[in-house]
Amino acid sequence: MPRRDFLKFSVAASGGLLIGFYFPGVSGTASAQASANEFMPNAFVRIGTDEQVTVIVNHSEMGQGVYTSLPMLLAEELDADWSKVGFESAPVDPKYNHPVFGMQMTGGSSSVWSGMEQFRQAGAAARAMLIAAAAQRWSIEPIYCRTEAGAVFDNSDGKLTYGQLAADAAKLPPPAKVQLKDPKNFKLIGKPIKRLDTGVKSNGSAVFGLDVKLPGMLTAVVARPRFSAPR
Amino acid sequence: MTAFSVNGKQVNLDVDPSTPLLWVIRDHLGLTGTKYGCGMAQCGACTVHIDGEAVRSCVAPVSRAAGKAVTTIEGLSSDLSHPLQRAWLEEDVPQCGYCQSGQLMSAAVLLRQKPQPTDEDIDQAMTGNICRCGTYPRIRRAIHRAAGMVVKAGVR
């Protein structure tokens, strides 16, 4: 490879690595696809029949806490059970572009304010579909349903968890428009909360840029001379 | 061939004996919890134990581990049950997290040598582990908390 091309290639490659600085618990080939028995109403959340809510985060975690703050935004509108909420790094896809800067990037202290609408909308849309699935099951109007801590309730003693509704909700169309919460009803946003990524950062399992392995990946290093002023 | 144990498992590797232990752990054994920071034993991110002693694996040739027992962050406990890891969770210690494997491995040696360390003991023992996020006050609190757990439960 001509030296000039190599330099160009290196710059592009290191730019890409910077954007994808840190992936949690995945070995490079991140894919935010839903598997069987999972409800994935949009690019930002997956709900499993095991009640697990996985928020797909489109910004790089570098200590600023986006693996906790962005899931909080989504979980707020979803009325998720916070103890069942986890995170995953988004793969590279235009769906995860920064809503203001138009590319998949992290910076400028912009993750929370730019994600505020995006993640809340995603959570509210998922919630509306889970409510629709429950209303269908009970043959009632969705307006008679309410949600709390990962479940839909009717006006009497009916209760269906999000996990129980996931398969049905996956068959429904996403809502055209959703109503976001009045901030005075927030349960998570604005409250101090423990980080979701402390565990993986305390047992060596967190995957940083240095730890990413891709198929066929080669590592280049500079061969430095043992002595100064080499010939 | 260099033979030693890693987290209780015997390994026998055909590597150049001068290869830094860090790269043997990361590249040959696939244990990526141990981090490369400076490569000069100046930052502590690569700290592992050889026969219970804290060693900067980036400058330790693998030959130094021959016939010995190496412990990495993955061997401290994978299920976060070690008192230090529990304390790390309770105090929400890590920020970016890159240095924390090394911090925990150094703290584990400190607690074994001084089960009830003072602030001064902690600062002295942890001085070789740098944290650019500046989590030092939480690290100190977490070590005290872990020391309390060890005394209560009489573990390790």
Side-chain angles (χ1 to χ4, degrees):
Chain A
M1 188 187 292
R3 185 178 149 87
R4 192 162 293 278
D5 285 353
F6 174 73
L7 288 177
K8 265 192 273 177
F9 174 76
S10 310
V11 170
S14 57
L17 282 176
L18 186 71
I19 290 165
F21 175 61
Y22 169 76
F23 306 89
V26 292
S27 46
T29 50
S31 146
Q33 300 290 307
S35 61
N37 301 326
E38 276 183 325
F39 167 46
M40 191 167 184
N42 52 59
F44 293 95
V45 62
R46 267 198 331 254
I47 300 171
T49 48
D50 59 355
E51 310 294 342
Q52 198 63 36
V53 174
T54 305
V55 178
I56 293 103
V57 176
N58 63 339
H59 290 290
S60 301
E61 169 63 53
M62 43 186 114
Q64 84 281 42
V66 286
Y67 280 165
T68 308
S69 55
L70 298 179
M72 282 168 77
L73 302 178
L74 193 144
E76 177 70 67
E77 295 290 343
L78 179 60
D79 276 338
D81 173 355
W82 182 250
S83 71
K84 298 280 198 290
V85 176
F87 60 85
E88 195 178 288
S89 173
V92 177
D93 191 297
K95 283 197 288 278
Y96 299 108
N97 281 355
H98 193 294
V100 177
F101 302 137
M103 60 189 280
Q104 199 167 345
M105 60 152 290
T106 304
S109 300
S110 69
S111 298
V112 169
W113 64 252
S114 72
M116 183 63 80
E117 189 76 9
Q118 206 173 26
F119 281 80
R120 287 181 63 198
Q121 289 277 355
R127 175 178 171 271
M129 292 163 78
L130 290 158
I131 285 180
Q136 247 178 28
R137 195 87 75 89
W138 289 324
S139 303
I140 58 173
E141 287 296 313
I143 191 174
Y144 298 115
C145 297
R146 64 187 174 84
T147 53
E148 200 186 318
V152 183
F153 297 85
D154 68 7
N155 274 342
S156 51
D157 52 4
K159 176 187 175 182
L160 287 166
T161 65
Y162 288 175
Q164 290 167 336
L165 293 166
D168 284 358
K171 295 177 196 130
L172 298 175
K177 202 167 174 271
V178 288
Q179 180 74 40
L180 297 184
K181 278 185 188 176
D182 184 324
K184 74 174 192 300
N185 298 323
F186 284 165
K187 291 184 177 127
L188 289 168
I189 295 175
K191 307 283 188 299
I193 208 157
K194 286 209 168 184
R195 295 176 65 121
L196 293 177
D197 56 352
T198 300
V200 295
K201 287 175 176 176
S202 302
N203 67 4
S205 67
V207 180
F208 292 79
L210 182 75
D211 308 321
V212 173
K213 284 219 162 54
L214 297 171
M217 186 173 88
L218 298 174
T219 303
V221 293
V222 177
R224 295 180 194 282
R226 283 181 76 106
F227 305 100
S228 60
R231 259 178 258 247
Chain B
M1 296 298 257
T2 309
F4 54 102
S5 80
V6 178
N7 302 332
K9 232 169 83 187
Q10 201 61 33
V11 294
N12 198 2
L13 296 167
D14 184 14
V15 288
D16 186 318
S18 67
T19 308
L21 178 60
L22 170 67
W23 301 111
V24 171
I25 290 169
R26 288 184 53 88
D27 292 348
H28 295 259
L29 302 173
L31 296 170
T32 54
T34 305
K35 298 301 181 219
Y36 167 72
C38 65
M40 302 185 288
Q42 298 291 300
C43 77
C46 67
T47 306
V48 300
H49 301 171
I50 297 182
D51 280 353
E53 293 307 312
V55 169
R56 306 296 188 235
S57 64
C58 71
V59 294
V62 66
S63 55
R64 201 173 145 188
K68 298 191 168 144
V70 174
T71 308
T72 68
I73 183 69
E74 289 88 349
L76 196 61
S77 101
S78 58
D79 60 355
L80 300 164
S81 60
H82 188 282
L84 279 165
Q85 291 171 316
R86 280 157 52 206
W88 248 239
L89 281 166
E90 285 171 25
E91 294 290 345
D92 237 352
V93 171
Q95 192 169 316
C96 92
Y98 199 80
C99 71
Q100 298 295 336
S101 299
Q103 302 281 0
L104 282 155
M105 296 312 280
S106 289
V109 174
L110 165 66
L111 277 193
R112 199 193 65 232
Q113 290 170 345
K114 285 198 176 143
Q116 290 302 303
T118 62
D119 280 350
E120 246 173 36
D121 294 333
I122 293 172
D123 292 351
Q124 202 171 11
M126 303 298 292
T127 191
N129 287 83
I130 294 170
C131 173
R132 199 195 144 180
C133 301
T135 60
Y136 305 113
R138 293 202 294 275
I139 288 174
R140 208 202 238 176
R141 280 204 302 274
I143 292 174
H144 282 306
R145 190 186 272 266
M149 291 181 203
V150 174
V151 166
K152 247 194 195 155
V155 285
R156 280 179 250 214

